Amino acid sequence: MKMQPADTATKIHYNRFLAEYYLWMAGGFEENAARNRRFFSLHGIRPGGRGVAIDLGAGCGFQSVPLAEAGFRVTAVDFCPTLLDEITRQAPSAVIEKIAGDIM
């Protein structure tokens, strides 16, 4: 059996199995997004200067969506297109650039 590099094996695992259950395993979208809204508010995280936020390993947008709601221009990067599609399902009106790519 030919072994895949770890990063390829991880991508295969996410695309074939984990992406489908990611929200459920993490406890749901709204609870996680609300936690990040509170964190950003508590720590005074607001768009300043250029107002750009880049969410590396964005997954399904637990941070991307609250950042966009706060007024940031958000770019969400993740290697799993299925998880990036979840951002649109969870927040269809949020303007978030999504890039399916490896942050490495």
Side-chain angles (χ1 to χ4, degrees):
M1 177 167 99
K2 183 177 178 186
M3 296 297 291
Q4 298 288 332
D7 63 312
T8 301
T10 301
K11 290 174 188 176
I12 290 168
H13 179 68
Y14 265 80
N15 289 321
R16 288 190 184 163
F17 177 75
L18 191 57
E20 182 178 348
Y21 301 100
Y22 193 86
L23 274 177
W24 171 75
M25 290 181 348
F29 181 83
E30 193 50 46
E31 182 176 329
N32 283 288
R35 182 179 303 118
N36 284 297
R37 287 182 194 103
R38 287 188 301 272
F39 179 86
F40 298 151
S41 176
L42 179 66
H43 295 283
I45 298 172
R46 297 183 223 37
R50 294 188 178 147
V52 173
I54 300 173
D55 187 358
L56 301 175
C60 54
F62 295 147
Q63 291 86 29
S64 298
V65 171
L67 288 167
E69 291 169 349
F72 285 92
R73 288 189 327 264
V74 178
T75 299
V77 183
D78 200 282
F79 64 72
C80 184
T82 302
L83 292 179
L84 290 172
D85 289 344
E86 191 64 37
I87 294 172
T88 303
R89 281 190 289 282
Q90 295 296 326
S93 62
V95 179
I96 298 171
E97 179 185 10
K98 293 168 227 46
I99 298 174
D102 191 333
I103 65 173
M104 296 303 286

